[in-house]
Structure formats: structure tokens, C-alpha cells
Amino acid sequence: MITAVMPNYARTDFALIRGEGMYIWADDGRRFLDMGAGIAVNGLGHCHPRLVAALRDQAGRLWHASNLYRIAGQEKVADLLVARTFADTVFFNNSGAEAVETAIKMARRHHHDGGRPERFRILSCEGSFHGRSLTDLAAGSNEAHRVGFGPLPEGFDHVPFDNLNALRAAVTDGTAAILVEPVQGEGGIRAASPGFLKGVREICDEFGLLMVLDEVQTGNGRTGRLYAHEWSGITPDILATAKGLGGGFPVGAVLATEAAAAPMIAGTHGSTFGGNPLAMAAVGATLGTVLEPGFLDQVKDMARLLWSCLADVVGNHPAVLADVRGQGLMVGMRCVDGVENGRLVGKMMEHGVLTVPAGENVVRMLPPLIIEESHIDEAVAALDRSCREIARDAAPTAGGGTI
Ligand SMILES: *Cc1c(COP(=O)(O)O)cnc(C)c1O
């Protein structure tokens, strides 16, 4: 018989019931160090006092108001994002999938209103993940996610990730935009090489395309900058974000330049819940904290420490781990062939640490940005122990046993 909760996730036996800072508790009494943060969502850890206070305060005043009215929290958060990023304007919605979908709609409408309606195709990368709406499935490249859900919307072309020549060669008169993740998340924590985003910007400029970044996972401080593209010195035309934006409250946003967003006049797009007062209180408190002087410097310091510790563990366990990859506190460790990533995630869980699997046989660490040295020690010790046990189980028994 089907479970009351639709069974489209393979879930753990235990339920998570309480969180505080870097830790989360299960209903069987176990405590875990949370190195997954709800897949890069709980950027300030669990029940951060500033977030709790902001939501409590908002909950006592106004939960929801339609976008037919001005919403004070939206104006405050949009002003902050406009002041601290490339964006001139911001649209709020409820998830990453919607943010990417909105970005794609904007890119098409931009060319439509610019007198080039034939430009509706989006170029994106192999290995990418852009969400689970039909349009986002067409933009992403995971074949397994699409099975049985067709037909998907028209107008998506894919090229190998991190390959500027292939990208340039794929541009046609029908191309509207290039859509990329600065670091592919679900695809296996694959960071583009340093010049890639700059090259994408140049191709967009040369052919009059919009550069659209999917920073749903890389954004909101995850890599040590507010948005990951800041490392490359370029700015996109449109950026979709979500995950860490509300520190655990479901909320997404599309940031855009004035030129890119010009067609989005009243009536073109909408969302009932998008940017509601509760969500905006959560975003205001999250971004307010992440943008405090020194916060992102601490993220960078902790990322450096985590990377150097993980490099040691990888070096010590060549029978289990192949490499460390990613950027900032978005870290992947690729398991060698023959060691399934789910096995390492399971071992880590046995040793009290939550991690998340990703594509290419990778185990992800996406810890809350408030991580400290002691937590890194704890996570690395559990990883070392997990690798030792996996290597020992795999090794032929000393002495041969049955001679
Ligand atoms: C998670 C993710 C999405 C989808 O976000 P949802 O909130 O699950 O809809 C889109 N793009 C990237 C890069 C993501 O990591």
C-alpha cells in the first residue's frame, strides 16, 4: 500500500525533529553534526536567534499579503540586494525551480520585446541541474529526471560544461541566453575553471545574448562571496537564487539588470506567495547576518581549513576517495569506482555526521556557514573513520582465511 507521504524520496528510517546551530536531532534520540544543511539551505544553522526573532516578530504582525499591494519587507530586501549586487531589480518567488523558470521567461520576453522573437533558445550545460518544473527539466541535463514526463518545452540546447569553444559553436540566430551554474551542484560539485564565466560573458556580449546564472545552490554566501560569480569579476544579466536565501524559509529570487528586466511590466508574471512578509522577514535576517562585516571572511577561513583537512583525508584513503572539488563551503569528495557514494554517506551517518550524495559518485559537504574549527575537526574525524572502515571491509582479509 502506498504511504501517506508520496514515496518519491528514499528517506531515512528516523525523522529529524529539532535543530540548534550546527546540530540536528532525530526522533530516536541521535544527534547529528549537520554538514548538509538541508542541501545548502540552513546557512545560519538551525534556529539562529536572529532568524527566530525576525520570524516571531513578523508572525505577530502580518503573514501574507497579495502582491496587489506594496509589501514593505520586499522593498527592504530588494533595496539590500540591489545595493550589494549587480542587480537593478528583484522578483521574489518560493523555490529554486520557480526562480530559474522565471529567469528563462524573462530571457525570452526580453528578446521578444526587443523585436527578435525568434530568439527563444536557451543554451545550458551537460551535467547541469536547474529544478524539477518541466521547463527546468528541459534546461537541465539529467535524463533520469525526465523519463515519462514528456513532452518538455521546446528550445533547449546542451553543450559540455566548462568548454567555451563548444559553447560558442552552439550559438545560433535563435539563441536567447546562456544558462549556467558557477559550480554544478547536483551534477557532482563541479567548479568551472577560473576563466569560464568571463568567457561566457564575452560570448554573450559578442552575440547579444543574456547571461543567466543559476546560483540557487552557490548563492547567499556559500562560496565565501555573496554570489559565486563575484569571484570571476563579471556580472550576469539575470541570476536565479533560492536555497540559502531564507535560511530555511522557502523563498527564491530573480535578480536582474534594468535592461534584462525591462519587459516585465505589470501583468507579465506573478506569484501568489512570492515575497510574502514571512519570507521577507527570513531573508532580511539571513542576508543581514551574511553581509555583516567579517562574516564572509570567516566563511573563507573555514573553507580553507576544511579543504586542507579533506585533502589530507583523501590522500590517506586512496582506496576510497579520489579528489576534493568545489568552491568555498560547497565541497564534494569523489568516491573511487567500486565505492558507492551512498555507502560513504551512510557510514558518515553512523558516525553522527550528515552529508549529501551528488552526481559523479560524489559526497557533498554543504555545512551551515556558521561552522567553526571544532565542527570541522568532528566532521573530518568521522570521514577518516568512515573511509578506514570502508577500506578495511573492501580489503582482502589478511592471511587469506581459506587456504
Ligand atoms: C536545488 C536547485 C534548484 C531547484 O531548487 P528547488 O528549490 O528545489 O526548486 C535549481 N538549481 C540548482 C542549481 C539547484 O541546486
Side-chain angles (χ1 to χ4, degrees), residues 27-309:
D27 57 352
D28 61 8
R30 275 190 291 170
R31 183 187 84 154
F32 297 100
L33 175 68
D34 189 0
M35 295 295 284
I39 316 193
V41 168
N42 304 95
L44 300 183
H46 298 280
C47 296
H48 189 283
R50 186 163 164 184
L51 260 71
V52 172
L55 266 184
R56 283 219 168 107
D57 176 60
Q58 189 60 48
R61 289 193 288 135
L62 180 67
W63 286 32
H64 176 78
S66 163
N67 279 305
L68 295 170
Y69 310 96
R70 281 179 51 205
I71 295 174
Q74 271 188 34
E75 295 174 6
K76 192 175 140 223
V77 171
D79 281 344
L80 180 65
L81 283 167
V82 165
R84 303 298 292 255
T85 71
F86 74 96
D88 300 316
T89 187
V90 184
F91 175 79
F92 294 102
N93 47 24
N94 313 292
S95 67
E98 286 172 276
V100 175
E101 178 120 6
T102 304
I104 291 168
K105 285 180 71 177
M106 274 177 62
R108 286 184 168 182
R109 187 70 183 238
H110 173 85
H111 290 292
H112 172 273
D113 286 21
R116 301 289 304 272
E118 74 282 5
R119 289 193 163 189
F120 62 83
R121 304 194 71 82
I122 308 291
L123 266 174
S124 61
C125 294
E126 288 166 13
S128 67
F129 178 80
H130 296 297
R132 300 281 200 151
S133 76
L134 289 175
T135 304
D136 296 337
L137 289 178
S141 80
N142 192 325
E143 203 46 55
H145 290 173
R146 299 180 186 153
V147 174
F149 294 126
L152 299 182
E154 269 295 310
F156 294 86
D157 303 304
H158 296 90
V159 295
F161 182 57
D162 203 18
N163 183 331
L164 290 170
N165 290 334
L167 198 53
R168 169 183 293 272
V171 174
T172 67
D173 285 344
T175 307
I178 297 174
L179 167 67
V180 291
E181 296 163 84
V183 180
Q184 289 191 339
E186 307 303 303
I189 311 292
R190 296 164 71 200
S193 39
F196 181 64
L197 290 186
K198 191 158 172 286
V200 173
R201 179 73 269 176
E202 284 164 8
I203 293 171
C204 287
D205 291 344
E206 184 180 337
F207 294 99
L209 315 178
L210 293 175
M211 178 169 178
V212 183
L213 291 180
D214 181 345
E215 292 228 30
V216 171
Q217 192 162 156
T218 54
N220 311 302
R222 177 64 36 202
T223 69
R225 306 289 287 265
L226 185 57
Y227 292 102
H229 71 268
E230 294 170 24
W231 288 107
S232 63
I234 55 92
T235 59
D237 300 296
I238 303 174
L239 180 153
T241 191
K243 289 202 164 88
L245 182 62
F249 200 96
V251 59
V254 182
L255 284 59
T257 62
E258 183 168 5
M264 304 307 283
I265 56 170
T268 50
H269 188 59
S271 168
T272 297
F273 290 124
N276 103 346
L278 285 175
M280 293 300 100
V283 177
T286 303
L287 290 181
T289 306
V290 168
L291 288 170
E292 259 174 14
F295 186 95
L296 289 174
D297 293 328
Q298 170 75 3
V299 170
K300 283 176 229 165
D301 287 347
M302 289 301 106
R304 255 190 300 275
L305 179 65
L306 179 62
W307 276 73
S308 84
C309 293

Side-chain angles (χ1 to χ4, degrees), residues 372-389:
E372 292 174 8
E373 211 170 316
S374 64
H375 308 121
I376 292 178
D377 292 345
E378 192 180 335
V380 169
L383 180 65
D384 190 55
R385 216 168 133 198
S386 300
C387 288
R388 234 181 305 130
E389 289 173 7

